[in-house]
Amino acid sequence: MITKTVKIINKAGLHTRPAATIVKFASKYSCEFFIQKDGININGKSIIGVMTLAAEMDSELTLTFDGKDEVEACEEIVSFFERGFDE
Amino acid sequence: MFKIDEKSLSRKKSITIKYFYETIKDIFNIKLISNKTGFEKIITTKDLLRPGLALSGFLDSFSYDRVQIFGNTELIFLKQLSKEQQKNTLKNFFEFKIPCIIFTNNNKPPKLLLDFANKNNIAVFTSPFTTTKTSYLINDFLDDQFATRISIHGAFVDVYGAGILFVGKSGIGKSEVALDLIERGHRLVADDVIILTKKGENILMGAGTNLVKHFMEIRGLGLINIEKMFGIRAIRYQKRLEIVVELEFWDKDQSYTRTGLDEETITISGVDILYVRLPIIPGKNITVISEVISLNYLLKHYGYDSAKLFEKRLQTKIKDKSNKDLRGVDYFEHDFE
């Protein structure tokens, strides 16, 4: 299991487009992927779940990956956060 | 069996007096009688206190951090004191960091108490109800506010009045089962992110989040609004959790219950909930099975346990030596239909 903390760096926050991209990335992998924010733990493969976080700029999220391809999944998704969702 | 991650649990540590007042003022008819002051102060516990002993001078184990309820007794006690005694008593009382004060029975506090409260930035409210009822209402509200909350990924539907939570891996078809159930007249509580709140010792209430409410995602279709589409009859805001159904791909190494004699339960935050594991195989109608799970649960609830009764019948049959005929009817009397 890998746990990583990431920060939202783009102005618009985690809105619909990046949320959809994260879910698309996550769905490629078989490992479980969860995101935690303010005591709420959501499934990162569910678009409604990711949008529920309504994560604004500068908020911190904890990502948890668990499964056999967790390393690859973690790399791709964390890098997407670090690039500010390419915006 | 699906597990609940520690990270899914949360609990409010405090609420402000502002939030407390604004949330309950209309539902409990609470009125502010001091200045609008001390609204930034916080409440950190669900417990209440009637400060009779503290007012009489015993301040040793005074739970000052609780919401202070002034009933008739406290008021009469204050009123019978002389001006000087009243001043001393209140001076000592207001030295503590009290969150707020609530008078009951629509009582008005003595002017001196209001002056002290305004000076010390402590809000004073009055409730139209008796002390017992006010305490009950406020305690219930605070209990809910400070209760453990659990966020779960799943679909929560009221099926014939029993709250069924569908859990399982992403993409296994929880939302599709929920949609099918809604089509058949059952009611959606929430899909995807469910927030369970513990109420009392053995009740878990489930609701959706305020952003999502009754939206749902169907793979290949996107987001749909169930309330708009199917109307008010297809939704509800909250429901007690009674059954957890875990959907999973058929696993030949797993043993699935065949008789239903040994019920499995899952413990969520100290509450035991009936747990059913449903393997998905072609030709299996999960929606209809869910309805049967609910009906069977209701039958059991009303004292009829199919599995146990069948077991009893079998035992009687084994003991009964006189009738070994297998057929269910003795004789087809002129029945050619």
Side-chain angles (χ1 to χ4, degrees):
Chain A
M1 191 170 84
I2 309 179
T3 307
K4 268 250 154 70
T5 305
V6 291
K7 201 171 176 179
I8 309 272
I9 52 172
N10 72 317
K11 243 199 187 129
L14 182 45
H15 61 97
T16 318
R17 197 198 58 83
T21 313
I22 289 168
V23 172
K24 214 193 299 170
F25 284 159
S27 303
K28 287 194 298 190
Y29 301 98
S30 68
C31 68
E32 301 231 26
F33 170 42
F34 282 90
I35 310 180
Q36 291 98 41
K37 181 184 177 256
D38 306 330
I40 184 165
N41 190 26
I42 62 96
N43 191 319
K45 292 184 179 180
S46 130
I47 180 78
I48 288 191
V50 178
M51 292 195 295
T52 301
L53 298 171
E56 71 284 0
M57 189 177 167
D58 287 333
S59 55
E60 282 192 350
L61 311 179
T62 310
L63 314 181
T64 317
F65 303 86
D66 193 6
K68 43 176 206 305
D69 48 7
E70 56 188 33
V71 179
E72 295 88 336
C74 175
E75 234 164 65
E76 180 162 16
I77 290 166
V78 169
S79 131
F80 185 59
F81 272 95
E82 284 167 352
R83 298 198 305 266
F85 309 135
D86 299 330
E87 279 180 354
Chain B
M1 195 187 273
F2 99 111
K3 286 192 299 286
I4 288 161
D5 203 299
E6 273 292 300
K7 293 179 202 113
S8 308
L9 305 178
S10 66
R11 211 183 142 267
K12 275 193 190 176
K13 296 221 162 48
S14 67
I15 57 170
T16 62
I17 300 296
K18 181 172 190 284
Y19 175 83
F20 172 72
Y21 173 59
E22 279 169 6
T23 316
I24 64 167
K25 67 177 178 193
D26 293 330
I27 35 179
F28 300 158
N29 273 317
I30 303 276
K31 286 190 185 65
L32 177 69
I33 43 176
S34 63
N35 295 341
K36 199 174 172 181
T37 182
F39 271 35
E40 71 296 338
K41 288 204 164 59
I42 53 168
I43 301 171
T44 53
T45 161
K46 64 174 185 176
D47 297 323
L48 311 174
L49 186 78
R50 288 194 62 184
L53 269 179
L55 291 174
S56 73
F58 184 73
L59 293 162
D60 277 9
S61 56
F62 175 33
S63 309
Y64 59 86
D65 57 340
R66 301 183 185 177
V67 170
Q68 307 286 320
I69 307 281
F70 277 61
N72 287 333
T73 326
E74 282 78 6
L75 189 66
I76 294 165
F77 174 78
L78 278 178
K79 278 185 173 164
Q80 54 85 42
L81 293 175
S82 71
K83 267 264 134 51
E84 201 52 37
Q85 284 170 320
Q86 210 181 74
K87 204 171 167 182
N88 271 333
T89 303
L90 290 172
K91 189 168 165 286
N92 290 335
F93 183 76
F94 278 101
E95 260 167 27
F96 290 90
K97 285 186 176 153
I98 296 156
C100 70
I101 296 172
I102 300 175
F103 278 83
T104 60
N105 300 300
N106 256 337
N107 285 336
K108 295 273 174 305
K111 195 183 164 298
L112 197 60
L113 186 142
L114 268 187
D115 292 344
F116 264 105
N118 287 332
K119 206 172 79 194
N120 291 287
N121 297 322
I122 287 163
V124 182
F125 305 105
T126 182
S127 147
F129 305 114
T130 61
T131 309
T132 311
K133 188 162 180 194
T134 306
S135 304
Y136 168 74
L137 292 173
I138 292 180
N139 193 236
D140 193 58
F141 169 76
L142 291 176
D143 197 27
D144 176 63
Q145 289 296 315
F146 292 119
T148 308
R149 293 179 186 190
I150 307 136
S151 63
I152 286 186
H153 176 68
F156 193 27
V157 190
D158 169 351
V159 183
Y160 294 129
I164 303 190
L165 174 67
F166 293 93
V167 295
K169 283 221 162 65
S170 204
I172 201 158
K174 301 179 290 291
S175 298
E176 286 74 8
V177 172
L179 187 62
D180 216 11
L181 284 166
I182 293 161
E183 257 284 325
R184 295 170 70 98
H186 303 290
R187 299 164 78 187
L188 177 75
V189 186
D191 188 39
D192 248 301
V193 185
I194 322 294
I195 309 286
L196 297 176
T197 308
K198 199 169 168 182
K199 198 167 176 68
E201 281 312 302
N202 48 13
I203 293 175
L204 285 171
M205 294 296 287
T209 59
N210 60 5
L211 173 74
V212 182
K213 285 253 170 72
H214 301 97
F215 278 83
M216 186 185 237
E217 186 217 356
I218 298 292
R219 297 283 145 95
L221 206 63
L223 298 174
I224 54 170
N225 184 348
I226 296 298
E227 187 177 359
K228 268 272 173 288
M229 223 175 242
F230 296 92
I232 195 76
R233 69 169 177 90
I235 59 140
R236 60 182 299 166
Y237 284 107
Q238 57 176 1
K239 177 77 189 86
R240 178 175 177 176
L241 173 64
E242 284 152 305
I243 308 164
V244 172
V245 173
E246 181 161 17
L247 303 178
E248 60 181 28
F249 294 113
W250 172 264
D251 181 353
K252 64 176 170 41
D253 298 327
Q254 278 277 6
S255 66
Y256 296 99
T257 181
R258 304 298 294 264
T259 59
L261 282 173
D262 18 58
E263 256 175 20
E264 259 189 283
T265 56
I266 181 168
T267 309
I268 304 176
S269 192
V271 183
D272 287 337
I273 306 282
L274 178 66
Y275 170 82
V276 180
R277 189 166 35 205
L278 267 193
I280 297 197
I281 36 175
K284 192 161 176 168
N285 189 331
I286 300 293
T287 311
V288 175
I289 294 175
S290 304
E291 285 180 336
V292 172
I293 289 173
S294 171
L295 292 173
N296 205 31
Y297 169 82
L298 293 176
L299 274 180
K300 262 186 211 168
H301 200 74
Y302 288 120
Y304 184 92
D305 189 327
S306 310
K308 282 213 181 98
L309 271 136
F310 194 91
E311 193 190 23
K312 226 184 208 157
R313 273 168 75 145
L314 177 62
Q315 281 164 356
T316 326
K317 188 80 193 161
I318 291 169
K319 278 189 205 130
D320 182 9
K321 294 199 175 68
S322 66
N323 188 359
K324 282 287 176 196
D325 204 345
L326 263 181
R327 200 174 64 188
V329 265
D330 291 336
Y331 167 56
F332 293 109
E333 189 186 352
H334 301 295
D335 187 357
F336 308 120
E337 211 179 292

